[in-house]
Amino acid sequence: MTKEEKRDHILARLDELYGTEKEGFHHDQDWQLLVAIMLSAQSTDKQVDEALPGLFGRFHTAREVAEAPVEEIEGYIHSVGLYKNKAKNIKKCCWQIQNEYGGKVPDTLGEVLKLAGVGRKTGTLFLADAYGTPGVTVDTHVFRVSHRLGWAKGKNPAETEQELMKLLPVDHWNRINFQLIDLGRSICTARRAKCEECPLQEWCEKKLQA
C-alpha cells in the first residue's frame, strides 16, 4: 500500500469518526472568536466556555475591551490558564482591532499575526474558523499524532505544518486539527498510545513498527 493510499484510508476513517465540521466557540462577532481562541491556549474548552458568557455579556465591542482596565478583564477570565498575561494581550489586541483595523479582525495571516498575543497557531485557527481559510494548525496533539502516524518528521510545529500541508489534500487542512486533537486526547495520548484501541492501527507507522 502506498503512502498516499494509507493517508486516504486514515482521512476517511477520521471523517467517519469525528465528522468534518468543528463545533466552535459561541460568538456573535469576529473579535469574540479571536478572543475565545486566545483564551483556549493552555486551557480546556470547558474553562473557556465558563468564562465567555460573563466576558461577552460585559463587553459588546472591541472598543469596550480596549478601554477597560486590565484588572476588570482579568476578573472575567481568571478561570483560564495564564489569565493575567492573556488579559493584557486581549486588551492590546482589541485596541489594535479598533484603532488599526476599523473594528474588524483582518482576514490575512500576515495581518492577524501583528495583533498582540496572536501566534501562528492561534492565527491559523482563527482564519479557518472565521473565514474558512485553509490552514493546518499544529498543536501538541497534532504534532504527536502526525509523527506517530508517519506523516511528519519535523522537529518543531512549523516544520510539521509544512509537511502536513504537502501531504494532505487542501480540503482536509482545517479539520485535521480537531480530528487529531480528539484522537490524541482519547487514544493516542502523550503518556501512552493505546494502539490496541486505535481505529487507525492498521495504517499507523508506530503500530506497524512495534
Side-chain angles (χ1 to χ4, degrees):
M1 187 180 296
T2 67
K3 184 176 184 179
E4 289 73 22
E5 288 173 332
K6 286 183 182 178
R7 174 204 64 192
D8 291 345
H9 280 296
I10 290 171
L11 293 178
R13 184 62 60 84
L14 289 172
D15 284 352
E16 178 187 338
L17 292 170
Y18 303 113
T20 60
E21 297 295 329
K22 172 186 169 185
E23 184 177 335
F25 294 111
H26 174 73
H27 66 282
D28 296 318
Q29 302 174 60
D30 54 4
W31 69 268
Q32 293 178 331
L33 175 61
L34 180 59
V35 166
I37 294 173
M38 291 170 71
L39 291 175
S40 69
Q42 295 184 301
S43 302
T44 65
D45 288 352
K46 184 174 183 292
Q47 289 174 318
V48 177
D49 285 336
E50 289 174 352
L52 293 184
L55 183 68
F56 295 158
R58 163 63 179 86
F59 302 110
H60 303 102
T61 65
R63 181 190 295 277
E64 290 181 357
V65 181
E67 294 176 349
V70 70
E71 293 80 11
E72 183 180 4
I73 301 171
E74 288 177 4
Y76 287 101
I77 66 170
H78 63 85
S79 61
V80 306
L82 305 176
Y83 74 95
K84 285 184 173 292
N85 192 50
K86 288 177 181 177
K88 181 176 65 175
N89 282 331
I90 287 169
K91 178 179 170 66
K92 183 176 180 181
C93 177
C94 286
W95 186 94
Q96 291 173 283
I97 292 169
Q98 184 61 45
N99 292 281
E100 297 176 6
Y101 296 100
K104 183 173 178 59
V105 182
D107 60 2
T108 66
L109 185 59
E111 292 299 312
V112 170
L113 292 180
K114 294 178 183 178
L115 299 173
V118 179
R120 190 173 185 86
K121 183 176 71 173
T122 296
T124 302
L125 193 57
F126 168 78
L127 292 174
D129 289 354
Y131 304 121
T133 306
V136 175
T137 308
V138 179
D139 65 2
T140 56
H141 296 291
V142 174
F143 185 86
R144 179 177 68 255
V145 177
S146 62
H147 279 68
R148 288 176 178 174
L149 286 172
W151 282 358
K153 292 182 169 48
K155 297 178 181 178
N156 55 57
E159 291 178 2
T160 299
E161 176 187 339
Q162 293 303 312
E163 290 177 286
L164 292 178
M165 288 171 68
K166 290 178 182 177
L167 174 70
L168 302 175
V170 175
D171 61 347
H172 282 266
W173 286 7
N174 288 351
R175 62 184 183 259
I176 201 66
N177 175 258
F178 73 81
Q179 290 176 337
L180 295 191
I181 284 177
D182 283 349
L183 183 71
R185 285 174 174 168
S186 59
I187 295 174
C188 198
T189 61
R191 183 169 295 181
R192 185 181 76 86
K194 304 172 186 175
C195 296
E196 66 283 356
E197 299 177 23
C198 184
L200 309 180
Q201 59 178 289
E202 62 186 289
W203 310 293
C204 178
E205 287 296 316
K206 177 179 175 62
K207 177 65 174 178
L208 293 174
Q209 292 172 4

